Amino acid sequence: IIEWWMACLEVLSCAGQLIISKLLISTNQSDLMGSLKFTFVVLLLICSNLLIGQGTANKVRDEADRYFKAQEYSKAIQLYERLSLMNSNNTDFNKNLGISYFFSNRLQEAETSLTKYYNVHKEDLDAVYYLACAAHHELKFDLAIDFYKYFLSRSKPSNPLYKSVIGDIKRCGV
């Protein structure tokens, strides 16, 4: 919503410049009124299009999340990538995109997406765990160990992955 308002403000700024230029050029009042009406209609169309676009992004996100939950990772990837093109400022979907890449054996892309997410959400243990796994599978053992240890330091022994992570650290060669 904030991005929508920012875009509308930018459009209004451009429209204001257009109106001022019309005022300076126009010599008769009917031309000016026609210009104002035209500018208003254009603004209305642009702002409504931005709002509809936001709704479309939400629908794409919902569909991508459904595929992700159903473990249909290739379909989820397509939609998350489309969402990325629609709204590159929002990184909240990057965790699911990264996990989808991981399970599709696209490890470098998994690491990139998960890192984007992790940089904003450092306490999300799922992101930490899958970053460790991606690094481990890419044979970046030192990095994997760092993420695994961070995971262990933030989780409880009752976490179902806790013992598995200890084994993963041992397999990294420590």
Side-chain angles (χ1 to χ4, degrees):
I1 300 274
I2 291 171
E3 293 168 1
W4 179 81
W5 281 110
M6 294 300 291
C8 282
L9 286 175
E10 189 175 322
V11 168
L12 287 172
S13 172
C14 292
Q17 291 173 2
L18 178 66
I19 291 170
I20 290 171
S21 68
K22 286 287 187 179
L23 279 172
L24 294 174
I25 295 171
S26 180
T27 55
N28 91 36
Q29 196 171 4
S30 65
D31 287 347
L32 180 60
M33 290 307 290
S35 295
L36 288 174
K37 287 179 186 176
F38 174 77
T39 304
F40 178 75
V41 169
V42 168
L43 283 174
L44 188 62
L45 288 173
I46 289 172
C47 289
S48 65
N49 190 31
L50 288 170
L51 189 59
I52 290 168
Q54 184 66 32
T56 302
N58 290 337
K59 288 179 185 177
V60 170
R61 172 69 188 262
D62 291 344
E63 189 176 355
D65 287 345
R66 278 194 298 279
Y67 282 126
F68 178 81
K69 287 176 185 167
Q71 297 180 352
E72 295 184 45
Y73 298 116
S74 62
K75 291 178 182 178
I77 287 170
Q78 291 173 354
L79 292 172
Y80 286 129
E81 286 176 342
R82 183 170 149 204
L83 187 62
S84 176
L85 294 173
M86 295 169 79
N87 189 359
S88 61
N89 296 330
N90 184 349
T91 60
D92 287 345
F93 60 87
N94 275 308
K95 179 175 93 171
N96 289 356
L97 176 58
I99 294 170
S100 297
Y101 281 141
F102 176 78
F103 284 113
S104 299
N105 203 31
R106 295 168 64 177
L107 300 175
Q108 183 58 50
E109 292 163 300
E111 187 176 351
T112 300
S113 290
L114 288 165
T115 299
K116 283 181 189 176
Y117 181 82
Y118 172 76
N119 287 336
V120 177
H121 307 278
K122 296 206 183 286
E123 297 299 317
D124 189 318
L125 291 180
D126 287 338
V128 171
Y129 175 75
Y130 283 104
L131 268 169
C133 290
H136 191 164
H137 284 78
E138 288 185 287
L139 308 179
K140 298 177 182 178
F141 298 123
D142 291 337
L143 181 61
I145 289 170
D146 288 344
F147 279 118
Y148 283 138
K149 286 183 176 180
Y150 183 73
F151 176 88
L152 291 175
S153 73
R154 298 284 186 222
S155 63
K156 297 178 181 175
S158 60
N159 185 316
L161 295 172
Y162 195 89
K163 289 182 182 177
S164 164
V165 168
I166 292 171
D168 290 331
I169 291 172
K170 290 176 182 176
R171 280 185 285 284
C172 283
V174 171

